[in-house]
């Protein structure tokens, strides 16, 4: 080290203190440390309160911690600090004690209004023993915190519930300790309350689970990012999946896919605009095939946590917990340098430098093209090694801080979990042999695998009347029809744009309760609405968990890939300006080849002699 490596003495002092901290953290102690008054003064990355279950999400983080401890990442990536955030897990025994102490079981299981459930829980008290432990730990913590759910069923391979429960960010910056603790306490109680919200209850109904079987652990996690003025966020966040449902060009499904976004990862989880790319083929960016498509598909704002201690970040719960900021704020902070390019005003060419005047677009070219940070190599390593360690396709969430030369950049694993994927090797009949007159819909971009034969209803959006500004109203109407049909009448759902998007201008912003009885979904691109699909969001995680067939049809093919004439001739039992409901005489037959991503929807599931013979041959009869 030279004196010139640091701007001032204070920077050098902080650097040496950081080296000391890292050497302490390198101690090869246990992965998970039980909380006690004896070890509260020591530095541990993973502390557990209570002797109950850690829950699905925390189990994944504990596994990630052990992987990083045993795999030689430090030697392979010496210039990157690869770690999980500092974590405290409140186990499910504390949840049970909280519920019993405040006599909440009966109320929580019977009440259907989310707001009333939330208010009841916030007014309740945490157990005295838990309060004492949390206060002791919080006094040692001086960074922003993410308070995350970790239920028993969350993030397991064959259960849904991804994104169903609350996650809250708190600044932890108030000078008064009592205010800091009050925010932490309220966050925990809000997450406990979310266990009993109507959305997870609807999903539990879908998989025939009893609500009282669900238990909630809570993760208190170091929020990864950097402080800029009065806001806090990482350079970028990401999701990486080892199995790519939608490969393009010469990509292969088992080579993985990643989603990147400036700032906090809510952008990805909510299905908003992100960069989707394969770490093995970083030059292939399907959504950026032209300058116009680059502008339309590029992220144009980002999420960050407001650190201003005078702002109550929990006042409106999870919906307003984080703030959205324009890209010029990130450029002012210097965070756009490594993730943005410019469409030059002079010649409309994309330039990988912010020196030009023009529209800023998030191409992440410095990262994935010029390898300012070894993200491609890191993700490819995880994809290659991960399935051997986990035993099935998996998904990771991460956050990255790009730092100056005198401080290592860091890659933080925020979550690791199995992907809920069907047996893609299952033998499916040759779909191409079907007669075109028998086919209602076909696509070569299909999510799912297998046969679905019980759908007698279709809910579809009337494209003749469709308007982008009416998508919120359309979502509400779909919810009404979903309730009218009930769980005994599963249906096929058809409409334009991204289903489940939080941005009503990108698609229909339905939540799971509004489409709880949908068993197959068709997403259509039309001239008015043709966004890039959002396959990294919580919506799609639940979709795969519930084995829902998902057909994607581009704006160039939607008129020929669906038999609209046949659809309009069917028996309409409900009609409105934007949404119609059909009752079919014969149930649909949906057939999906998950290995190749091909699928068809047959107008009837009546079997011909040829079909019966094919099935007999396949089963060895």
């Amino acid at each position: 080290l030279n004196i010139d490596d640091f701007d001032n003495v204070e920077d050098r002092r902080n650097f040496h203190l950081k080296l000391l901290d890292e050497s302490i953290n390198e101690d090869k102690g246990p992965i998970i440390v039980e909380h006690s008054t004896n070890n509260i003064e020591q530095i541990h990355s993973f502390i557990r309160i209570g002797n109950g279950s850690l829950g699905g999400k925390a189990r994944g983080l504990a596994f990630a911690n052990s992987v990083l401890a045993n795999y030689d990442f430090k030697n392979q990536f010496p210039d990157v600090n690869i770690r999980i955030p500092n974590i405290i897990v409140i186990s499910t025994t504390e949840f049970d004690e909280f519920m019993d102490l405040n006599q909440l079981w009966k109320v929580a299981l019977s009440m259907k209004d989310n707001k009333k459930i939330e208010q009841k829980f916030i007014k309740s008290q945490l157990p005295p023993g838990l309060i004492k432990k949390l206060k002791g730990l919080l006094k040692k913590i001086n960074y922003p915190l993410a308070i995350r759910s970790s239920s028993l069923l969350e993030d397991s391979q064959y259960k849904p519930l991804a994104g169903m429960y609350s996650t809250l960010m708190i600044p932890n910056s108030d000078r008064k300790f009592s205010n800091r603790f009050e925010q932490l306490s309220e966050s925990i109680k809000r997450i406990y309350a979310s266990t009993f919200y109507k959305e997870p209850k609807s999903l539990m109904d879908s998989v025939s689970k009893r609500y009282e079987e669900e238990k909630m652990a809570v993760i208190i996690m170091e929020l990864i990012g950097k402080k800029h003025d009065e806001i806090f966020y990482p350079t970028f966040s990401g999701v990486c999946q080892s199995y790519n449902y939608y490969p393009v060009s010469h990509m292969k499904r088992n080579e993985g896919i990643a989603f990147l976004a400036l700032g906090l990862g809510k952008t990805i989880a909510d299905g908003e605009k992100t960069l989707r790319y394969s770490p093995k083929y970083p030059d292939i960016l399907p959504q950026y095939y032209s300058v116009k498509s680059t502008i339309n598909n590029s992220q144009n704002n980002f999420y960050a946590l407001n650190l201003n201690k005078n702002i109550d970040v929990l006042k409106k719960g999870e919906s307003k917990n984080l703030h959205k900021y324009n890209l010029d704020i990130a450029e002012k902070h210097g965070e756009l340098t490594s993730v943005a390019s410019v469409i030059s005003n002079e010649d409309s060419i994309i330039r990988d430098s912010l020196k030009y005047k023009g529209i800023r677009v998030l191409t992440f070219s410095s990262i994935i093209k010029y390898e300012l940070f070894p993200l491609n190599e890191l993700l490819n390593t995880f994809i290659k090694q991960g399935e051997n360690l986990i035993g099935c396709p998996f998904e990771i969430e991460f956050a990255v801080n790009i730092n100056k030369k005198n401080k290592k950049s860091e890659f933080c694993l925020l979550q690791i979990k199995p992907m809920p994927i069907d047996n893609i090797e299952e033998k499916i009949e040759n779909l191409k042999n079907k007669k075109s007159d028998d086919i209602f819909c076909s696509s070569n971009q299909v999510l799912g695998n297998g046969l679905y034969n019980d759908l007698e209803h279709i809910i579809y959006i009337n494209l003749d009347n469709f308007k982008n500004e009416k998508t919120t109203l359309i979502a509400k109407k779909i919810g009404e029809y979903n309730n009218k049909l009930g769980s005994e009448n599963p249906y096929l759902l058809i409409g334009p744009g991204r289903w489940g998007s939080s941005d009503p201008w990108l698609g229909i912003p339905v939540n799971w309760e509004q489409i709880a009885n949908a068993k197959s979904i068709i997403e259509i691109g039309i001239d008015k609405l043709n966004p890039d699909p959002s396959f990294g969001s919580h919506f799609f995680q639940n979709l795969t968990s519930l084995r829902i067939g998902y057909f994607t049809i581009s704006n160039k093919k939607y008129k020929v890939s669906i038999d609209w004439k046949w659809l309009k001739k069917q028996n309409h039992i409900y009609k409105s300006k934007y949404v119609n409901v059909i009752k079919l005489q014969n149930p649909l037959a949906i057939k999906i080849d998950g290995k190749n991503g091909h699928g068809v929807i047959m107008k009837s599931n009546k079997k011909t002699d040829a079909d019966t013979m094919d099935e007999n041959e396949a089963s060895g009869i």
Side-chain angles (χ1 to χ4, degrees):
L1 294 174
N2 297 311
I3 294 175
D4 293 341
D5 290 333
F6 305 93
D7 293 336
N8 51 55
V9 173
E10 186 64 21
D11 281 353
R12 183 163 189 169
R13 176 180 178 275
N14 290 334
F15 179 78
H16 287 297
L17 287 172
K18 182 174 177 293
L19 287 179
L20 290 170
D21 285 342
E22 286 178 352
S23 70
I24 295 170
N25 284 326
E26 284 177 359
D27 177 41
K28 295 292 183 180
I31 299 300
I32 302 175
V33 176
E34 300 289 340
H35 175 273
S36 74
T37 53
N38 294 329
N39 65 24
I40 196 170
E41 295 294 334
Q42 298 175 28
I43 297 173
H44 297 290
S45 63
F46 202 120
I47 296 175
R48 167 184 183 159
I49 298 175
N51 55 12
S53 172
L54 299 176
K57 196 175 290 181
R59 280 197 304 270
L61 282 163
F63 177 74
N65 201 19
S66 66
V67 169
L68 295 183
N70 295 308
Y71 191 79
D72 194 18
F73 279 101
K74 290 189 176 181
N75 287 333
Q76 188 173 351
F77 301 96
D79 297 326
V80 182
N81 182 19
I82 303 173
R83 66 183 181 96
I84 67 165
N86 294 319
I87 290 170
I88 300 166
V89 180
I90 304 172
S91 78
T92 55
T93 53
E94 302 294 334
F95 170 76
D96 287 336
E97 188 176 345
F98 170 79
M99 296 295 291
D100 294 338
L101 176 67
N102 296 285
Q103 299 180 339
L104 288 170
W105 283 110
K106 186 176 180 180
V107 172
L109 292 171
S110 60
M111 198 175 286
K112 296 182 179 180
D113 187 299
N114 288 359
K115 196 67 180 176
K116 289 181 179 178
I117 293 172
E118 183 181 81
Q119 290 171 353
K120 185 75 175 175
F121 273 64
I122 289 174
K123 290 177 181 177
S124 300
Q125 294 296 315
L126 294 177
L130 178 60
I131 290 175
K132 183 178 179 181
K133 292 172 184 176
L134 289 175
K135 283 185 174 179
L137 289 167
L138 190 62
K139 287 176 181 177
K140 307 295 179 182
I141 298 172
N142 57 6
Y143 41 75
L145 296 170
I147 318 301
R148 308 181 72 185
S149 63
S150 182
S151 81
L152 290 180
L153 300 180
E154 201 169 6
D155 292 354
S156 56
Q157 188 174 9
Y158 299 108
K159 304 294 188 295
L161 304 176
M164 285 292 102
Y165 302 127
S166 295
T167 292
L168 296 157
M169 315 292 183
I170 55 175
N172 192 35
S173 59
D174 200 295
R175 291 182 180 179
K176 289 187 177 180
F177 178 77
S178 58
N179 291 343
R180 291 167 54 205
F181 181 76
E182 185 58 36
Q183 283 201 338
L184 174 61
S185 177
E186 183 179 333
S187 299
I188 294 168
K189 288 184 278 189
R190 282 180 179 272
I191 289 175
Y192 281 164
S194 71
T195 313
F196 304 97
Y197 285 173
K198 57 187 179 182
E199 290 82 8
K201 284 179 179 177
S202 295
L203 273 175
M204 295 277 274
D205 282 338
S206 301
V207 291
S208 302
K209 286 288 181 183
R210 291 153 53 96
Y211 310 140
E212 56 267 36
E213 291 180 0
E214 180 70 308
K215 301 289 179 67
M216 183 64 73
V218 174
I219 301 170
I220 302 170
M221 176 188 285
E222 170 195 3
L223 185 62
I224 301 302
K226 292 183 277 186
K227 183 177 182 294
H228 297 285
D229 299 327
E230 287 300 317
I231 66 173
F232 190 90
Y233 61 97
T235 305
F236 64 91
S237 300
V239 168
C240 180
Q241 298 170 339
S242 68
Y243 190 83
N244 181 7
Y245 288 113
Y246 289 83
V248 297
S249 186
H250 46 273
M251 297 177 186
K252 295 179 181 177
R253 290 175 179 261
N254 61 1
E255 290 172 338
I257 194 74
F259 307 82
L260 307 179
L262 170 70
L264 294 169
K266 182 175 172 63
T267 304
I268 302 170
D270 284 356
E272 298 184 26
K273 293 178 180 179
T274 59
L275 178 81
R276 177 168 58 95
Y277 90 110
S278 169
K280 192 162 185 177
Y281 306 101
D283 292 330
I284 302 176
L285 302 177
Q287 71 268 50
Y288 289 173
Y289 63 86
S290 67
V291 171
K292 183 179 179 181
S293 71
T294 301
I295 295 171
N296 290 338
N297 290 307
S298 173
Q299 179 185 355
N300 46 35
N301 47 48
F302 68 99
Y303 285 100
L305 176 66
N306 193 320
L307 297 177
N308 190 332
K309 60 179 177 291
N310 295 319
I311 292 178
D312 184 359
V313 294
L314 300 179
K315 186 176 181 180
K316 294 186 178 180
E318 190 175 12
S319 62
K320 301 293 183 181
N321 184 227
L322 299 176
H323 291 256
K324 266 187 176 181
Y325 298 90
N326 293 327
L327 296 187
D328 58 346
I329 300 296
E331 184 168 8
K332 175 187 171 185
H333 295 154
E335 296 296 349
L336 279 196
T337 305
S338 54
V339 300
S341 300
V342 178
I343 298 176
S344 172
N345 286 340
E346 297 179 1
D347 51 18
S348 295
I349 292 176
I350 299 177
R351 307 286 186 181
D352 295 329
S353 170
L354 297 184
K355 295 179 180 179
Y356 296 87
K357 292 183 179 180
I359 299 172
R360 271 51 179 161
V361 287
L362 299 194
T363 61
F364 290 85
S365 59
S366 294
I367 305 293
I368 66 176
K369 185 177 176 182
Y370 301 115
E371 299 184 342
L372 171 70
F373 179 86
L375 182 67
N376 297 334
E377 187 180 355
L378 254 171
L379 296 183
N380 284 326
T381 301
F382 275 109
I383 291 168
K384 184 178 179 180
Q385 300 293 334
E387 288 196 23
N388 296 330
L389 297 167
I390 298 172
C392 65
F394 69 96
E395 174 181 300
I396 61 172
E397 293 180 17
F398 58 90
V400 172
N401 283 325
I402 304 295
N403 296 317
K404 294 180 179 179
K405 64 178 183 178
N406 62 344
K407 184 179 180 181
K408 282 186 180 181
S409 293
E410 61 179 355
F411 178 97
C412 294
L413 265 179
L414 308 181
Q415 198 168 341
I416 185 168
K417 60 186 177 183
M419 286 179 70
I421 184 171
D422 279 313
N423 178 13
I424 60 175
E425 300 297 333
E426 181 181 341
K427 177 70 177 177
I428 301 294
E429 63 185 298
N430 189 344
L431 302 178
K432 294 180 180 179
N433 291 339
K434 293 297 179 183
K435 295 179 182 178
S436 59
D437 291 345
D438 297 332
I439 295 174
F440 166 59
C441 172
S442 64
S443 174
N444 60 3
Q445 278 194 309
V446 185
L447 184 64
N449 187 67
L451 310 175
Y452 308 78
N453 292 313
D454 60 348
L455 300 189
E456 296 181 346
H457 293 82
I458 299 175
I459 297 180
Y460 74 96
I461 293 171
N462 188 347
L463 297 183
D464 295 334
N465 296 333
F466 176 76
K467 294 181 180 178
N468 292 43
E469 62 269 23
K470 299 295 183 181
T471 54
T472 301
L473 180 65
I474 290 170
K476 184 178 179 181
K477 180 58 69 174
I478 290 172
E480 291 176 13
Y481 289 151
N482 177 83
N483 293 336
K484 283 184 178 181
L485 291 177
S487 58
E488 66 276 11
N489 293 308
Y491 58 84
L492 170 67
L493 181 62
I494 308 173
R498 291 180 183 173
W499 285 103
S501 173
S502 63
D503 186 342
W505 291 93
L506 294 179
I508 314 301
V510 290
N511 58 46
W512 268 110
E513 189 194 11
Q514 290 172 318
I515 60 167
N517 302 316
K519 296 305 176 188
S520 193
I521 298 174
I522 300 177
E523 172 187 290
I524 303 166
I526 60 174
D527 295 336
K528 295 179 182 177
L529 192 64
N530 190 40
D532 191 59
S534 174
F535 305 124
S537 67
H538 287 140
F539 181 90
F540 277 85
Q541 293 170 32
N542 286 316
L543 183 121
T544 54
S545 295
L546 291 173
R547 307 298 195 266
I548 292 175
Y550 199 92
F551 289 65
T552 299
I553 298 173
S554 70
N555 65 326
K556 295 179 181 178
K557 294 182 178 181
Y558 81 93
K559 291 182 180 179
V560 296
S561 294
I562 295 176
D563 191 340
W564 296 102
K565 289 183 180 180
W566 176 85
L567 183 70
K568 292 177 181 179
K569 289 178 182 178
Q570 302 310 303
N571 177 31
H572 287 65
I573 56 174
Y574 302 120
K575 276 190 173 184
S576 67
K577 185 175 181 179
Y578 302 112
V579 186
N580 297 330
V581 183
I582 286 172
K583 171 71 166 69
L584 298 170
Q585 187 174 357
N586 297 307
L588 297 168
I590 301 172
K591 304 173 186 290
I592 301 172
D593 182 345
K595 185 175 182 179
N596 299 308
H598 298 155
V600 296
I601 301 176
M602 311 301 296
K603 295 172 184 174
S604 171
N605 67 1
K606 286 185 176 180
K607 296 177 182 177
T608 65
D609 292 339
D611 288 330
T612 304
M613 186 170 64
D614 287 344
E615 288 185 8
N616 289 341
E617 288 176 357
S619 60
I621 297 176

